Amino acid sequence: EIVLTQSPATLSLSPGERATLSCRASQSVGKLLAWFQQRPGRAPRLLIYDASNRATGIPARFSGSGSGTDFTLTISSLEPEDFAVYYCQQRSNWRSTFGQGTKLEIK
Amino acid sequence: QVQLQESGPGLVKPSETLSLACTVSGYSINSPFSWGWIRQPPGKGLEWIANIYHSGTTYYNPSLESRVNISIDTPTNQFSLKLRSVTAADTAVYYCGRGFSFDYWGQGALVTVSS
C-alpha cells in the first residue's frame, strides 16, 4: 500500500498570507495525485487533480506541483473560506489512498 | 449538472451487512468514468473503499476487499455498496463519488453500527 504523509499536521496563518502544504508518497505515484478541501460538516471538494490541474470552478490562488513522491499545494493569498482541512490522494495502480490531512487554521 | 445522492439505513447491527445505494442524476453512469465509495469515521480522515466501471470491472481497498462488494445498475443510474460483518469500527460517513479522482461527491450518509 502506498502511504501518503502530509505536513504539517496543522498550519496557522492569517488571511492574505501564503500557505504551502506538503504531501510525500512512500513510492512514486507519477502525477496521479489530487488535493481536496474539506470544510466542517461538508463533503470534500476536489481542488487539484493529476498533481497540477485545477478542477472546474477552483480559484487561481490554488496551485499544485510535484511528481513522483513529493507534492505541494500552494494557496497564494488566503481567503477566510480557505481555512479548512486539506487531504492529498493518490490513485496509482488502480488503488487509492489518502494522506492524514493538514488542518489550516486562522492564526 | 452532475449530482450524487447516497441512500440506505442509518443504523446497522454488528455482524450484519451495511447496504448503501448512490443515485446519479444529470450524467449517465454508462460513461468512461468509474464510480466509487469513500468513508470517513467521525473525527478522522478519508478512506477509499472501492470503484467500479459500467463494464462491471471493480477495484477494492485490499484492507476491506474480503468484506466488500460494489455493483452497478445502469438502467436505474445507480451503483451500490455492501459491507458484510460490520463492527463499530465501520461507523462512518459514507460518500459516493465519480471517478478515481472523485470530482463530484454525494453529501454523505452517516451509518452507525450499534446494537
Side-chain angles (χ1 to χ4, degrees):
Chain A
E1 175 184 290
I2 297 175
V3 176
L4 298 180
T5 302
Q6 292 187 240
S7 61
T10 303
L11 185 58
S12 300
L13 293 170
S14 301
E17 290 192 294
R18 182 184 186 90
T20 303
L21 287 67
S22 175
C23 178
R24 175 165 289 179
S26 59
Q27 63 189 78
S28 177
V29 300
K31 281 187 166 285
L32 298 180
L33 189 110
W35 290 94
F36 294 86
Q37 176 194 68
Q38 188 176 32
R39 295 175 179 141
R42 304 287 297 276
R45 175 174 71 145
L46 177 66
L47 301 174
I48 302 289
Y49 65 94
D50 293 348
S52 59
N53 297 293
R54 269 192 305 277
T56 303
I58 301 303
R61 65 180 181 273
F62 291 91
S63 64
S65 63
S67 65
T69 60
D70 289 297
F71 299 86
T72 300
L73 174 69
T74 301
I75 311 171
S76 59
S77 179
L78 286 165
E79 297 287 340
E81 62 268 26
D82 298 337
F83 293 92
V85 179
Y86 292 82
Y87 294 96
C88 59
Q89 178 227 21
Q90 66 81 23
R91 57 179 180 85
S92 70
N93 296 326
W94 301 106
R95 298 287 185 268
S96 180
T97 52
F98 286 87
Q100 82 280 14
T102 290
K103 182 180 181 181
L104 179 55
E105 64 177 25
I106 299 177
K107 188 174 182 180
Chain B
Q1 181 179 345
V2 182
Q3 293 185 313
L4 297 92
Q5 178 68 58
E6 303 88 351
S7 59
L11 181 64
V12 181
K13 290 183 167 55
S15 80
E16 295 190 344
T17 297
L18 179 160
S19 296
L20 292 170
C22 182
T23 301
V24 180
S25 58
Y27 194 84
S28 173
I29 207 168
N30 191 14
S31 77
F33 286 101
S34 67
W35 304 88
W37 291 94
I38 283 169
R39 69 180 182 178
Q40 185 172 37
K44 296 188 177 181
L46 302 167
E47 180 179 35
W48 172 70
I49 301 172
N51 273 60
I52 187 169
Y53 284 91
H54 68 88
S55 63
T57 301
T58 56
Y59 300 94
Y60 292 104
N61 183 327
S63 70
L64 297 169
E65 188 166 9
S66 64
R67 297 193 293 132
V68 172
N69 180 260
I70 187 172
S71 58
I72 195 164
D73 186 37
T74 50
T76 60
N77 228 38
Q78 287 185 338
F79 61 104
S80 299
L81 175 74
K82 290 189 187 299
L83 179 64
R84 297 178 293 276
S85 304
V86 297
T87 69
D90 295 310
T91 294
V93 176
Y94 286 76
Y95 295 101
C96 59
R98 187 179 81 167
F100 271 94
S101 289
F102 286 83
D103 58 352
Y104 289 93
W105 294 65
Q107 64 184 27
L110 174 62
V111 180
T112 301
V113 178
S114 175
S115 55

